[in-house]
């Protein structure tokens, strides 16, 4: 090839590429995800990012509003028996699964049974209170509970309430994970691991008129800057989990839209108070010391310095935007003198504390800021950056003094608290155990009235605020960026992407 | 000849076994409990117990190893713990992707590195030499991820010439496929180009001072003919060997490049597998890589033996 020929070919291919990198079909929405989802089976799945895909692929019995109220989806109405042991649900009658199997009460029974009995199921603990489910009519089911469970509706508004086609689940078994069949507004087309998951509009969906997109492509792009660059170049139309440091850039770009919603989860420092030998330090044994530590932290400054002000400072298991937030304990400002006074009273001059955190830049920066803040009060914090799997292992084994971790959050407040601070809680790594807290939180689970539950949480909060087994720091906000051609997107506090009403011009 | 090849294959078997033992043990040394990662945020004890049982994590490591080896010998590399796809299928899907990336990157490296090396040797001590050296040094020093993001911003975001990331299979759309890999291949190729350039330069400098080149010049040949026909042909031999060696380096570099450009290749497969403690995938990938390397060495040995009878005698 001569040079002019090469040059011509090069120009031609560049021009062609410019044409191809341009607008795709206006009815296709390409979404950049932070990770590659795991198994696409609602029972086997465990990742947050997988739930984003399920939201378009599968219908749930119950949905939520942006204000966390429960609204009908596959169940049109529901009611509790007086003793709180029976939940009766009326179901939609015009629903079919993607494979044509009709949806009815038997399908619900099949799905709940599968979630509870499949060996690989990750849903068992979520449905632990359900003793049995029975079809009382073609479109009516009754859940019978072993004990009242105020959190069940919240569980049924997530993966535990998502319905798979019984015919497909029986035929495919565990391989359903590679070929999921639900009844959602979009059906599964193909998946290339780490490259793309493609869904197309399901024409027979009961609410098909609310969906204006023909095709969805989910593309895992682990690097946040690359994800944003793809959005700016138009290769994708929307991305989830924008980096807080990129918010000003997105807001300054006229071709992009920015959306956010305060999440349901939290980040904090879990202190080892009674989980093995390493709890036997003044930091683990004396709540006053932890109180001094907490007082020395300026949560607002952390938010500004580390998160560009995009997140929400916090001091409880739920954010201040939640209806469950306890107003009696507002987020306190920093008070180094008070912190120092507490340590002086206890006769502590300086105290060494080791905190482990995940070895990513954000968590490291967060802990470095805290390290310098609490140093002024008298804490010599040493940081141990640990790979996440090891951090988790050290935490369960009690091989830590304090651990900077968080929780993605649940719709019901019980999901953010019970397992972490009750004596036998499955996620209670701090080893905290207080009979009164156990009693209050167990009772809050069974009380169906919101005011009654709130009163119980308030009592528990008082003890937890004094004991501080977890020092809460902030509540992450879900950050999305979209092309300005995308309209109708509504942010939800659960971080999901709901596409009803979303258009691309 | 046949007995030579057979002998080489027999020698390869213990090597492979050693590699597999090594990988298996290394994985068990990785800190953190894989089951805790797999069980999900809730860490349901029932699920944890089930997973330990299912993946035989309660068995002694020796038993686990032989169980795995038994399956491998039957062609079963296991199932990805994360997505339930067969490991062999995952690997086979990715080999062509990374191979294409490596070939394109190598083309860039050769196309940039060798001419620049020749040029800077011929024009030694002039500004051209200094510029070439500066470019080479920059190529070596600039981190892949930084250059990658910079290129995405310039070429995709500002100019809109190439897709920012992703991958299209070559046989489904050849043009688009090359476009998607152009930037990653360039990023991967630049560092290698620098190495190639430095080696070409020093090889050429040596050759250009040799007697036969002086003779060629004395014959009154044009400088271009002297350089290209006489000097380069001799100087290029060690470069060819080096290029082959660099191919291995390319696979390593692909790990980072694939991550930046969201290319579903071999490198990304293994990174994700390690982070998710997807043991079966890690083991499968390392085993296949080891087999590939051993096969390449075997081919090289056979080729040498074919070309050089003295090698055969030496065996």
């Amino acid at each position: 090839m001569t040079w002019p020929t090469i040059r011509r070919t090069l120009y031609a291919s560049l021009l062609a590429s410019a044409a191809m990198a341009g607008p795709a079909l206006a009815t296709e929405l390409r979404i950049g995800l932070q990770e590659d989802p795991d198994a696409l089976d609602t029972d086997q799945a465990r990742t947050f990012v997988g739930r984003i895909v399920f939201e378009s692929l599968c219908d749930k019995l119950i949905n939520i509003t942006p204000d966390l109220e429960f609204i009908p989806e596959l169940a049109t109405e529901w009611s509790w028996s007086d003793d709180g042991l029976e939940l009766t649900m009326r179901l939609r009658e015009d629903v079919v699964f993607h494979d044509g199997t009709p949806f009815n009460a038997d399908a619900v029974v099949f799905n709940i049974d599968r979630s509870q009995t499949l060996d690989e199921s990750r849903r068992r603990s979520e449905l632990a209170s359900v003793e049995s489910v029975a079809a009382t009519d073609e479109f009516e089911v009754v859940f019978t509970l072993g004990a009242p469970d105020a959190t069940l509706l919240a569980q049924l508004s997530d993966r535990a309430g998502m319905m798979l086609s019984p015919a497909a689940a029986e035929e495919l078994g565990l391989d359903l994970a590679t070929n999921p069949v639900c009844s959602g507004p979009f059906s599964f087309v193909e998946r290339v691991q780490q490259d793309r998951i493609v869904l197309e509009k399901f024409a027979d969906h009961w609410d098909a008129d609310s969906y204006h997109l023909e095709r969805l492509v989910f593309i895992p792009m682990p690097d946040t800057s690359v994800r944003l660059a793809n959005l700016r170049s138009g290769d994708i139309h929307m991305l989830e989990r924008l980096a807080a440091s990129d918010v000003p850039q997105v807001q300054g770009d006229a071709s992009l839209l920015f959306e956010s919603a305060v999440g349901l989860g939290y980040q904090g420092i879990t202190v080892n108070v009674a989980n093995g030998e390493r709890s036997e330090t003044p930091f683990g044994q004396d709540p006053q010391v932890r109180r001094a530590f907490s007082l020395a932290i300026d949560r607002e400054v952390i938010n500004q310095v580390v998160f560009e002000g995009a997140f929400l400072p916090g001091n409880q298991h739920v954010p201040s935007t939640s209806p469950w937030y306890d107003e009696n304990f507002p987020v306190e400002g920093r008070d180094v003198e008070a912190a120092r006074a507490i340590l002086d009273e206890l006769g502590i001059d300086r105290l060494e504390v080791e905190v482990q955190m995940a070895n990513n830049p954000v968590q490291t920066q967060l802990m470095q800021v805290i390290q310098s803040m609490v140093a002024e009060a008298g804490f010599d914090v040493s940081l141990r950056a640990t790979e996440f799997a090891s951090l988790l292992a050290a935490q369960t084994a009690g091989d830590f003094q304090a651990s900077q971790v968080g929780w993605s959050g649940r719709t019901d407040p019980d999901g953010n608290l019970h397992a972490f601070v009750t004596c036998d809680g499955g996620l209670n790594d701090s080893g905290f155990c207080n009979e009164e807290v156990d009693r209050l939180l167990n009772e809050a689970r069974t009380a169906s009235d919101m005011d009654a539950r709130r009163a119980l949480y308030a009592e528990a909060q008082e003890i937890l605020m004094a004991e501080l087994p977890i020092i809460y720091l902030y509540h992450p906000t879900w950050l999305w960026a979209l092309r300005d051609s995308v309209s109708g997107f509504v942010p939800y506090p659960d971080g999901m992407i709901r596409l009803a009403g979303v258009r691309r011009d | 000849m046949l007995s030579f090849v057979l002998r080489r294959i027999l020698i390869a078997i213990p090597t492979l076994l050693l590699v597999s033992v090594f990988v298996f043990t290394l994985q068990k040394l990785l800190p953190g409990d894989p089951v805790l990662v797999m069980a999900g945020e809730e860490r349901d004890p029932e699920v944890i117990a089930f997973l330990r049982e299912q993946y035989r994590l309660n068995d002694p490591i020796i038993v686990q190893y032989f169980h795995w080896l038994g399956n491998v010998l039957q062609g079963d590399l296991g199932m990805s713990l994360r997505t339930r796809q067969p490991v062999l299928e995952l690997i086979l899907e990715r080999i062509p992707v990374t191979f294409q990336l490596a070939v394109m990157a190598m083309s860039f490296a050769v196309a940039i590195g060798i001419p620049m090396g020749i040029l800077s040797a011929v024009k030694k001590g002039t500004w051209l030499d200094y510029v070439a050296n500066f470019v080479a040094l920059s190529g070596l020093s600039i981190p892949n991820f930084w250059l990658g993001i910079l290129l995405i911003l310039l070429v995709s975001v500002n100019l809109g010439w190439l897709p920012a990331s992703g991958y299209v299979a070559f046989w489904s759309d050849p043009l688009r496929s090359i476009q998607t890999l152009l930037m990653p291949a360039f990023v991967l190729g630049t560092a290698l180009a620098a190495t190639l350039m430095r080696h070409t330069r020093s090889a050429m400098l040596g050759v250009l001072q040799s007697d036969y080149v002086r003779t060629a010049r004395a014959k009154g040949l044009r400088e271009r003919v002297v350089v290209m026909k006489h000097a380069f042909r001799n100087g290029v031999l060690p470069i060819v060997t080096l290029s082959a060696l660099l191919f291995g380096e390319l696979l390593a570099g692909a790990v980072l490049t694939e991550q930046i450009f969201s290319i579903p290749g071999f490198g990304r497969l293994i990174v994700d597998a390690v982070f998710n403690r997807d043991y079966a995938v890690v083991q499968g990938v390392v085993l296949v890589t080891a087999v590939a390397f051993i096969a390449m060495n075997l081919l090289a040995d056979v080729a040498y033996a074919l070309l050089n009878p003295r090698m055969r005698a030496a065996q």
Side-chain angles (χ1 to χ4, degrees):
Chain A
M1 243 198 274
T2 59
W3 173 239
T5 327
I6 297 175
R7 202 162 47 184
R8 262 201 307 278
T9 320
L10 205 65
Y11 281 152
S13 66
L14 280 177
L15 278 175
S17 74
M20 297 189 75
L25 279 175
T27 49
E28 177 180 276
L29 191 74
R30 297 164 66 84
I31 303 173
L33 303 175
Q34 182 159 305
E35 298 112 18
D36 191 28
D38 58 331
L40 290 180
D41 169 343
T42 51
D43 285 327
Q44 296 181 62
R46 60 179 174 82
T47 56
F48 167 79
V49 70
R51 286 167 60 203
I52 295 182
V53 177
F54 287 135
E55 196 60 49
S56 293
L57 188 62
C58 302
D59 282 334
K60 320 176 281 273
L61 290 172
I62 298 171
N63 204 348
I64 57 166
T65 64
D67 302 322
L68 303 183
E69 277 163 25
F70 297 116
I71 51 167
E73 193 160 295
L74 289 177
T76 52
E77 56 189 274
W78 52 88
S79 60
W80 288 97
S81 64
D82 289 339
D83 58 5
L85 291 174
E86 271 186 12
L87 172 66
T88 307
M89 274 187 173
R90 197 71 215 159
L91 306 173
R92 292 198 73 89
E93 300 182 9
D94 52 354
V95 180
V96 284
F97 289 101
H98 299 149
D99 62 353
T101 309
F103 167 76
N104 52 30
D106 288 335
V108 177
V109 174
F110 174 89
N111 271 277
I112 300 296
D113 187 54
R114 185 177 191 263
S115 299
Q116 288 186 312
T117 55
L118 189 75
D119 281 333
E120 282 79 0
S121 171
R122 309 286 202 274
R123 305 280 85 81
R124 267 194 298 261
S125 60
E126 298 166 14
L127 295 168
S129 63
V130 178
E131 261 183 8
S132 64
V133 193
T136 45
D137 165 350
E138 194 184 350
F139 294 105
E140 190 182 88
V141 284
V142 176
F143 290 76
T144 307
L145 278 53
D149 179 7
T151 71
L152 185 61
L153 291 182
Q155 305 293 11
L156 296 177
S157 73
D158 204 332
R159 284 173 296 201
M162 288 181 182
M163 295 291 124
L164 299 164
S165 157
E170 280 195 335
E171 189 196 324
L172 296 169
L174 294 173
D175 291 336
L176 184 87
T178 52
N179 191 15
V181 184
C182 290
S183 68
F186 296 88
S187 61
F188 180 77
V189 177
E190 63 161 343
R191 171 181 197 175
V192 178
Q193 204 179 317
Q194 293 171 322
D195 186 40
R196 62 182 183 274
I197 293 173
V198 182
L199 310 182
E200 66 182 3
K201 184 170 174 172
F202 178 47
D204 294 333
H205 187 253
W206 54 275
D207 193 21
D209 292 346
S210 302
Y211 293 85
H212 313 297
L213 300 161
E214 291 298 325
R215 209 173 130 89
L216 301 181
V217 186
F218 294 94
I219 307 167
M221 298 180 169
D223 189 288
T224 45
S225 340
V226 171
R227 211 153 61 241
L228 181 56
N230 271 274
L231 183 73
R232 294 177 62 200
S233 68
D235 285 278
I236 57 173
H237 309 115
M238 125 173 240
L239 62 84
E240 53 107 17
R241 279 179 281 175
L242 178 73
S245 51
D246 287 335
V247 171
Q249 198 188 339
V250 171
Q251 285 175 325
D253 188 331
S255 65
L256 301 182
L257 302 173
F258 170 72
E259 293 286 355
S260 67
V262 176
L264 303 169
Y266 64 79
Q267 287 286 325
I269 296 175
T270 298
V271 183
N272 184 351
V273 300
N275 185 0
E277 281 174 18
R278 295 205 62 192
S279 67
E280 288 157 13
T281 63
F283 196 60
Q285 298 304 309
D286 193 340
Q288 280 302 311
V289 176
R290 299 195 285 275
R291 165 102 185 114
F293 190 92
S294 177
L295 271 173
I297 298 172
D298 192 327
R299 291 167 169 80
E300 188 50 49
V301 166
I302 289 177
N303 187 33
Q304 295 302 332
V305 171
V306 188
F307 306 112
E308 303 274 339
F311 288 178
L312 192 69
N315 65 335
Q316 296 178 26
H317 61 288
V318 289
S320 54
T321 49
S322 160
W324 297 98
Y325 186 79
D326 191 338
E327 307 280 356
N328 295 322
F329 297 98
V331 179
E332 288 177 309
R334 184 181 191 222
D335 192 341
V336 185
E337 274 136 47
R340 187 59 248 171
I342 295 175
L343 293 184
D344 283 339
E345 206 170 298
L346 295 169
I348 296 172
D349 179 30
R350 297 204 68 83
L351 183 68
E352 286 183 9
V353 180
E354 187 193 79
V355 185
Q356 62 167 358
M357 77 274 180
N359 58 350
N360 65 58
V362 175
Q363 261 35 58
T364 307
Q365 196 193 352
L366 165 75
M367 278 317 302
Q368 284 166 345
V369 172
I370 292 179
Q371 185 182 38
S372 59
M373 282 175 173
V374 298
E376 287 177 36
F379 292 95
D380 294 318
V381 171
S382 57
L383 300 178
R384 201 170 89 187
T386 315
E387 195 259 339
F388 193 68
S390 321
L391 178 124
L392 221 51
Q395 220 172 279
T396 46
D399 184 16
F400 72 109
Q401 264 190 44
S403 190
Q404 196 286 301
V405 285
W407 176 245
S408 67
R410 296 292 178 268
T411 311
D412 192 275
D414 178 87
N416 280 15
L417 199 56
H418 194 281
F420 297 90
V421 295
T422 49
C423 299
D424 296 325
L427 302 170
N428 185 351
D429 294 329
S430 79
F432 176 76
C433 183
N434 179 303
E435 279 177 21
E436 185 61 7
V437 170
D438 273 25
R439 183 187 69 76
L440 291 163
L441 294 186
N442 285 334
E443 221 169 285
R445 266 191 169 178
T446 55
S448 53
D449 172 37
M450 183 157 170
D451 288 335
R453 288 187 78 194
R454 225 201 296 255
L456 292 162
Y457 283 123
E459 271 187 71
Q461 199 62 256
E462 210 163 313
I463 304 173
L464 291 171
M465 280 292 172
E467 294 285 337
L468 286 177
I470 300 172
I471 301 169
Y472 299 97
L473 297 171
Y474 65 93
H475 302 278
T477 296
W478 301 115
L479 309 170
W480 294 272
L482 306 92
R483 302 286 312 175
D484 62 353
S485 56
V486 179
S487 61
F489 174 71
V490 180
Y492 276 70
D494 60 0
M496 295 296 111
I497 297 174
R498 290 173 172 80
L499 292 171
V502 173
R503 291 172 196 272
R504 225 195 97 214
D505 305 319
Chain B
M1 190 65 209
L2 191 68
S3 72
F4 167 72
V5 173
L6 279 178
R7 216 165 42 229
R8 298 293 314 198
I9 292 178
L10 281 180
I11 295 174
I13 292 174
T15 315
L16 270 180
L17 276 177
L18 265 180
V19 168
S20 70
V21 170
F22 193 60
V23 175
F24 207 88
T25 328
L26 264 189
Q27 283 219 93
K28 301 294 167 183
L29 289 178
L30 274 180
D33 186 344
V35 171
L36 274 186
V37 180
M38 282 188 273
E41 223 183 14
E42 283 89 359
R43 292 189 251 150
D44 183 344
E46 261 185 76
V47 173
I48 289 178
F50 169 75
L51 288 173
R52 274 195 214 292
E53 193 59 39
Q54 191 183 22
Y55 298 114
R56 301 172 158 265
L57 295 172
N58 291 325
D59 292 344
I61 184 163
I62 304 275
V63 177
Q64 290 183 42
Y65 174 73
F66 280 104
H67 177 75
W68 174 74
L69 191 66
N71 284 340
V72 169
L73 290 177
Q74 294 167 45
D76 179 10
L77 287 181
M79 189 91 89
S80 159
L81 310 182
R82 214 169 67 85
T83 58
R84 297 206 56 83
Q85 274 173 290
V87 173
L88 193 62
E89 187 185 300
L90 284 175
I91 291 174
L92 291 179
E93 265 175 16
R94 278 160 174 72
I95 286 177
V97 182
T98 302
F99 183 73
Q100 191 188 342
L101 177 64
V103 168
M104 284 177 67
M106 205 62 211
S107 315
F108 267 116
V110 169
I112 299 171
I114 292 183
M116 249 174 40
I118 297 175
L119 202 67
S120 70
V122 174
K123 306 278 180 192
K124 190 186 164 214
T126 66
W127 64 272
L128 258 173
D129 185 21
Y130 293 127
V131 168
N133 268 305
F134 176 76
V135 173
L137 204 64
S138 312
L140 274 177
S141 331
I142 296 176
N144 275 358
F145 66 89
W146 187 76
L147 183 63
I149 290 177
L150 219 64
L151 273 183
I152 292 179
L153 287 180
L154 179 73
V155 180
S156 305
V157 177
N158 288 335
L159 301 173
W161 283 357
L162 291 172
S165 58
Y167 173 75
V168 177
F170 188 77
W171 48 85
S172 76
D173 185 347
L175 180 67
R176 181 82 176 155
S177 174
I178 290 173
Q179 286 167 348
T180 52
L181 288 186
L182 220 50
M183 276 196 291
F186 178 77
V187 168
L188 200 52
T190 45
L192 295 184
T195 316
L196 275 183
M197 181 262 165
R198 299 291 306 167
H199 279 87
T200 311
R201 183 176 181 273
S202 59
M204 284 298 285
L205 280 178
V207 174
L208 281 173
Q209 279 158 18
S210 60
D211 292 343
Y212 77 90
V213 169
R214 198 176 316 123
T215 311
R217 283 204 180 110
K219 280 198 304 186
L221 287 179
R222 274 177 299 141
E223 185 63 15
R224 193 186 158 131
V225 179
V226 174
V227 171
M228 293 314 292
K229 206 170 167 189
H230 293 263
F232 179 64
R233 287 216 172 155
N234 274 304
V236 80
L237 281 175
I239 310 296
V240 172
T241 322
L242 180 74
S243 307
L245 284 176
L246 286 175
F247 221 79
E249 219 168 277
L250 266 181
L251 290 181
V255 169
L256 208 63
T257 316
E258 288 177 356
Q259 201 75 8
I260 301 166
F261 289 96
S262 310
I263 300 165
F266 225 60
R268 230 176 126 199
L269 181 69
I270 195 159
V271 170
D272 271 23
V274 170
F275 278 122
N276 288 299
R277 299 289 189 274
D278 202 339
Y279 281 175
V281 176
V282 177
Q283 270 151 220
V285 169
V286 175
L287 191 73
V288 169
T289 315
V291 170
F293 265 80
I294 288 173
M296 298 271 265
N297 276 318
L298 186 66
L299 279 179
D301 285 351
V302 171
Y304 266 90
L306 277 177
L307 293 172
N308 188 345
R310 274 176 301 181
M311 288 278 295
R312 257 175 288 166
Q315 304 290 324

